[in-house]
Amino acid sequence: MSSSSASNEVTVSRADKANAIRALAMDAVQKAKSGHPGMPMGMADIAEVLWNDYLSHSPMNPVWPDRDRFVLSNGHGSMLHYALLHLAGYDLPIEELKNFRQLHSRTPGHPEYGYAPGVETTTGPLGQGVSNAVGMALSEKMLAAEFNRESLNIVNHYTYVFLGDGCLMEGISHEACSLAGTLGLGKLIAFWDDNGISIDGEVGNWFTDDTPARFRAYGWQVIDRIDGHDAEAVASAIEQARGNSLEPTLICCRTIIGRGSPNKQGKESSHGAPLGDDEIALTRETIDWPHEAFIIPEEIQAAWNAVSAGSARETEWQARFNNYRDAHPVLAAEFERRVAGKLPVDWSQSAQAFIDALNEDATTVASRKASQMTLDGFGPLLPELAGGSADLAGSNLTIWSGSKPVSREDASGNYIYFGVREFGMAAICNGISLHGGFIPYSATFLVFSDYARNALRMAALMKIRQVFVFTHDSIGLGEDGPTHQPVEHVASLRLIPNMSLWRPCDAVETAVAWRYGIERQDGPTSLALSRQNLPHQVRDASTLERIARGGYVLLDSEGGEPEVILIATGSEVVLAMDSATVLREAGRRIRVVSMPSSDVFDAQDESYRESVLPRAVSCRIAIEAGVSDGWRKYVGLDGAVIGLDRFGESAPAEAAFEYFGFTVENIVNQVNAII
C-alpha cells in the first residue's frame, strides 16, 4: 500500500522521510517566531509509517468520499499536518509553510477546516479532535450499513487520530471514547503520543491514569508500549488494529518530544516555543539533515508524493462505484446526493406544504412537542437526518415515528442514544457533519448547553451544519428550579459569531426554524424550545412567509402608526399579544413583533428592518424571560425591557412567571410609563 516506489524505498530511508517532517516543523516555527515544534518532531516517525504505508487518500481530490480521515486532535502540533500535506502532494506549496501562523495564510496556528486541503476538522481545543473522529467513524459505520451491498462496498474507510496527554486529560475524551467502545467503532484507530510532557512539564505530577486500562474498560483494543520511533513496531500495531473490526483501537506510542534536538528533546522547552537558531543548527547535525531551511531534496519529495497512488485508489473505487450504480441505480443516486450535501429535489415544496398544513391546524402545543411533530413531517423527506439526545429523549422529544436506534450490532439506524454526554454529543455530531452523508442534530436542556459550549463554538467557527435542539428554555420549566432554569443561555448563544438562534413562539415558527437549520449550509442553528404549551398565532399567507426573515409584524396597530411596539420571543409572544388586546381596548395603537431569530432579522435589508421597527417609533418594549441587555439595541434608551436579570426560583411555571413580572398587568403598566 506504499505510496513510494520500490526504487525510492531503496535510496530514501524512513528516517530521511521522517526527518523531512522534523525539519519543516522546526523551520516553520522558527520563522513564525511561535508555535509547537516538539510534537511534530516526536510523532514524525509514526506519521511517516501511517501516511506512506496505510492512509488511503487522494491529494488531487481531498474530498473523495471513501478516503480515510486523518484527525490531528493535538492540534497545537499543526506543523506535523501541514508538513504531511505538503510532502504528500496536496495543494499546499512551500510558500504556505513559510507563511505559517501569518495573517490569511492557509497554515494557521492550529489546523482550521476550510483553509488547507486535507484538513478534516478544526482542532486545538484539546479532546475535541478525537471526539470529532468518533463522529466520523460513526458516520462511516452508519453509511456502510445503509449503502453497502454484497461485495460492492462503496463505504469502507478508516478514521485515524493523533492525540496527546492533554486530549486524554480533558473530560470530553472520556465521553466520546466511552461511546465509541459501546458502539464498536472498529475502524477508529487512535495513536496516543505518550511523551510524558505537557506545557507545565512532566505529566507524572498531575496525570497518572492507567490509560490502557481505562480504554480497555471502554471496550477498546489497546496495543500498549509501542516504540513510536520504531517503524516496524508502529506498522505491526497498525496491522493489528486494522485486523480488529469489532473494537476501536488505541495504540500507545512511547515517544520523545522534540526528537532530534540535542538539548531540548524530552523537555517541555520544546513543546510550545521555537527551538532557536543555534539549536536548529545542532539538530540538523544530529539528524543528519544538511539541507537549508524549507529545502526538501527531490528524492525525498518523490518518496513522499502520494498523487499517483492516491489517483489509483480513487480510480479503483470509482470503478467499483460504477458497478454499484449499475446494480443499484437508486441507491447510487441517493449516495451521491447525500455526500454532496444536497437536499432532495422535492424538499422545498414538501417542507412548505407541511408548514402550511401546520398553520391550518392551529395546534396549541409546547414548542418541544412541535419540534417532534416537525421531525415526523420532515424525517420521511430526509433520510440523512440523524441525531439524538443526551439521555433526555423523553423530555427533548427528539424521537419521532421513523426513529431507529444505532447500535453496535446494527448501525443502519438514524437515532443515537448519547447518554449523559452533552459535550461529547455535540462534538461527535460535529464530526458527523464534517464526514458528510448526514445532517446531524443533538439535544439536551437549554441550561446544559453550558456543558457543550465549546463544541457549539467550534461548529460555528467551522461553519458546519448541525441543529442543536435545546428544550426547557426558561423559568417556564418550573419546579426544577434555578439549577435547571436557563436565564443567560439564549443571550449567550446569540453572542457566538455565526450561530443562528431561534426561539419560536408556536408550532408554526418551530417548523420554520427547523427548516432554516436544515437548509443552512454555512453554520449551525440552535433551537430554544419550551416545556409548556404555546398557543397558535393566527397568520395570513404573507405573515407566514415573513417568519423566515427572523422578525416580523404579527399584529399591527389600528388607526395609523403605532404608539408602542412590543417585541417578544418564544413563550412571551402570547403575553405580548394578550397585553396588546388590553391596550387596544384602552385606545392605544400597538404593534406586536415576533422575533424568533434576531440574527436572521439583523441580516435582512434595511428597508425590511425599517418596515418592522420604524425609527420614528421610539417607544418600544422587549419581552423575554432571560437577561435583558441584548435587547437594548432594539428598544434604545427610551424603551424598556421586561427580562430576568437574576436566577429563577423553584415554583410552578405560572407562579414563576407571575413572580418575575411576566404578566399582562406589568406590561400594560410599562407601556403607560413610557408613552
Side-chain angles (χ1 to χ4, degrees):
M1 296 180 61
S2 174
S3 64
S4 307
S5 69
S7 61
N8 281 330
E9 286 293 340
V10 172
T11 58
V12 180
S13 68
R14 287 193 181 276
D16 283 340
K17 288 185 283 184
N19 286 337
I21 298 173
R22 293 186 173 99
L24 289 172
M26 67 183 183
D27 289 341
V29 171
Q30 187 66 29
K31 189 174 186 300
K33 297 182 173 60
S34 71
H36 300 76
M39 186 280 265
M41 297 173 75
M43 296 195 79
D45 299 303
I46 304 168
E48 189 278 322
V49 174
L50 176 63
W51 277 63
N52 282 319
D53 290 13
Y54 293 98
L55 193 73
S56 180
H57 62 123
S58 181
M60 300 304 291
N61 185 11
V63 296
W64 167 40
D66 203 39
R67 69 192 181 279
D68 290 341
R69 271 58 169 184
F70 175 77
V71 175
L72 192 77
S73 190
N74 42 354
H76 55 270
S78 57
M79 267 309 305
L80 173 73
H81 205 168
Y82 301 145
L84 288 165
L85 293 170
H86 170 73
L87 292 167
Y90 285 78
D91 182 19
L92 194 69
I94 196 67
E95 287 74 20
E96 291 291 347
L97 274 63
K98 293 178 180 179
N99 210 25
F100 177 54
R101 286 183 160 231
Q102 304 310 299
L103 184 64
H104 302 316
S105 77
R106 301 171 75 187
T107 51
H110 293 83
E112 291 190 38
Y113 178 70
Y115 281 69
V119 173
E120 302 283 1
T121 182
T122 299
T123 58
L126 295 176
Q128 289 208 58
V130 65
S131 303
N132 295 163
V134 170
M136 294 174 187
L138 178 56
S139 294
E140 192 275 343
K141 185 170 183 172
M142 291 169 65
L143 281 174
E146 183 176 355
F147 286 100
N148 287 349
R149 293 293 185 275
E150 296 94 30
S151 60
L152 296 172
N153 293 334
I154 60 170
V155 182
N156 184 21
H157 54 264
Y158 288 85
T159 300
Y160 298 101
V161 56
F162 281 11
L163 53 86
D165 295 316
C167 291
L168 295 177
M169 286 185 244
E170 291 284 359
I172 189 175
S173 70
H174 297 254
E175 296 182 22
C177 293
S178 171
L179 186 61
T182 297
L183 294 176
L185 304 183
K187 289 184 178 177
L188 173 63
I189 300 174
F191 298 80
W192 170 30
D193 184 27
D194 183 13
N195 61 30
I197 297 291
S198 67
I199 293 175
D200 283 348
E202 296 181 6
V203 300
N205 294 311
W206 50 82
F207 182 54
T208 58
D209 300 15
D210 187 343
T211 297
R214 168 185 154 190
F215 274 77
R216 289 189 182 99
Y218 292 156
W220 286 54
Q221 172 181 226
V222 176
I223 306 172
D224 199 5
R225 299 183 178 275
I226 298 299
D227 182 349
H229 305 297
D230 182 338
E232 291 186 6
V234 172
S236 177
I238 296 173
E239 290 286 350
Q240 184 180 340
R242 288 164 61 97
N244 185 344
S245 63
L246 302 178
E247 298 171 317
T249 297
L250 178 70
I251 302 175
C252 306
C253 300
R254 296 288 180 89
T255 65
I256 300 171
I257 191 170
R259 169 89 166 184
S261 170
N263 297 304
K264 295 189 176 184
Q265 67 176 13
K267 301 176 181 177
E268 63 268 24
S269 57
S270 70
H271 182 279
L275 298 181
D277 291 331
D278 291 343
E279 187 67 15
I280 288 176
L282 290 172
T283 303
R284 279 183 152 79
E285 293 179 14
T286 301
I287 66 175
D288 192 21
W289 189 264
H291 318 292
E292 298 294 322
F294 299 105
I295 298 298
I296 305 296
E298 289 184 8
E299 66 273 16
I300 295 178
Q301 187 76 67
W304 265 105
N305 193 284
V307 171
S308 295
S311 296
R313 294 187 194 99
E314 190 178 354
T315 299
E316 186 277 330
W317 178 86
Q318 189 61 56
R320 189 167 1 113
F321 186 78
N322 291 340
N323 292 334
Y324 180 90
R325 192 200 315 273
D326 291 340
H328 309 285
V330 175
L331 279 174
E334 176 68 3
F335 178 81
E336 290 182 306
R337 180 189 72 80
R338 295 265 294 273
V339 297
K342 297 179 179 179
L343 294 171
V345 293
D346 59 348
W347 157 255
S348 182
Q349 180 180 354
S350 299
Q352 189 59 52
F354 174 80
I355 293 169
D356 290 342
L358 207 59
N359 192 50
E360 288 293 322
D361 290 343
T363 304
T364 292
V365 293
S367 52
R368 62 170 177 157
K369 178 62 179 177
S371 173
Q372 186 180 49
M373 293 163 60
T374 302
L375 285 169
D376 269 317
F378 289 173
L381 308 174
L382 297 169
E384 62 264 49
L385 195 61
S389 169
D391 202 48
L392 287 170
S395 294
N396 299 145
L397 301 184
T398 45
I399 293 178
W400 56 284
S401 58
S403 290
K404 178 184 176 182
V406 175
S407 69
R408 183 188 191 93
E409 295 75 25
D410 183 4
S412 65
N414 58 8
Y415 195 85
I416 306 159
Y417 288 93
F418 286 102
V420 188
R421 300 182 176 101
E422 294 89 356
F423 194 4
M425 170 183 69
I428 288 169
C429 285
N430 283 346
I432 292 173
S433 180
L434 288 159
H435 181 278
F438 295 100
I439 299 174
Y441 65 91
S442 57
T444 186
F445 286 176
L446 178 57
V447 75
F448 301 135
S449 64
D450 284 342
Y451 284 133
R453 175 76 180 204
N454 202 247
L456 271 64
R457 183 178 187 270
M458 294 296 285
L461 193 154
M462 289 188 282
K463 302 178 181 178
I464 59 174
R465 177 166 49 186
Q466 184 181 168
V467 179
F468 297 103
V469 180
F470 297 123
T471 69
H472 297 59
D473 70 337
S474 74
I475 56 173
L477 72 87
E479 294 89 340
D480 279 340
T483 63
H484 283 54
Q485 293 170 353
V487 172
E488 74 276 25
H489 298 77
V490 165
S492 176
L493 291 173
R494 288 186 181 125
L495 291 176
I496 300 177
N498 200 43
M499 174 66 74
S500 188
L501 186 285
W502 287 73
R503 188 170 185 246
C505 77
D506 65 1
V508 176
E509 284 192 0
T510 303
V512 173
W514 260 107
R515 179 179 181 177
Y516 176 89
I518 288 167
E519 293 181 350
R520 188 185 185 205
Q521 297 201 25
D522 60 353
T525 302
S526 289
L527 310 182
L529 308 175
S530 74
R531 178 194 185 199
Q532 72 273 29
N533 287 341
L534 305 179
H536 171 76
Q537 300 297 331
V538 178
R539 305 173 183 85
D540 59 22
S542 66
T543 305
L544 180 64
E545 184 180 351
R546 288 194 292 272
I547 295 174
R549 306 191 76 166
Y552 63 101
V553 178
L554 180 61
L555 176 71
D556 212 355
S557 58
E558 297 177 333
E561 186 177 79
E563 295 176 277
V564 177
I565 300 176
L566 302 180
I567 311 168
T569 76
S571 53
E572 288 69 72
V573 169
V574 64
L575 188 58
M577 293 291 282
D578 290 346
S579 301
T581 299
V582 173
L583 289 162
R584 292 173 78 174
E585 289 174 353
R588 296 295 190 187
R589 299 189 306 277
I590 305 295
R591 171 179 289 185
V592 176
V593 171
S594 177
M595 194 174 290
S597 179
S598 60
D599 59 276
V600 174
F601 176 76
D602 289 348
Q604 303 301 308
D605 60 84
E606 184 178 355
S607 62
Y608 178 76
R609 288 183 278 115
E610 173 66 19
S611 73
V612 176
L613 298 175
R615 292 182 179 86
V617 184
S618 60
C619 293
R620 306 175 182 182
I621 295 178
I623 313 161
E624 185 174 70
V627 295
S628 63
D629 278 359
W631 289 103
R632 291 291 171 188
K633 68 177 179 178
Y634 298 112
V635 304
L637 297 176
D638 297 324
V641 181
I642 298 174
L644 191 62
D645 293 309
R646 52 153 292 182
F647 295 115
E649 296 283 348
S650 178
E654 297 81 1
F657 276 117
E658 182 176 1
Y659 178 75
F660 288 112
F662 293 94
T663 64
V664 170
E665 180 183 10
N666 186 37
I667 293 171
V668 170
N669 289 339
Q670 292 281 347
V671 168
N672 291 330
I674 67 171
I675 289 181

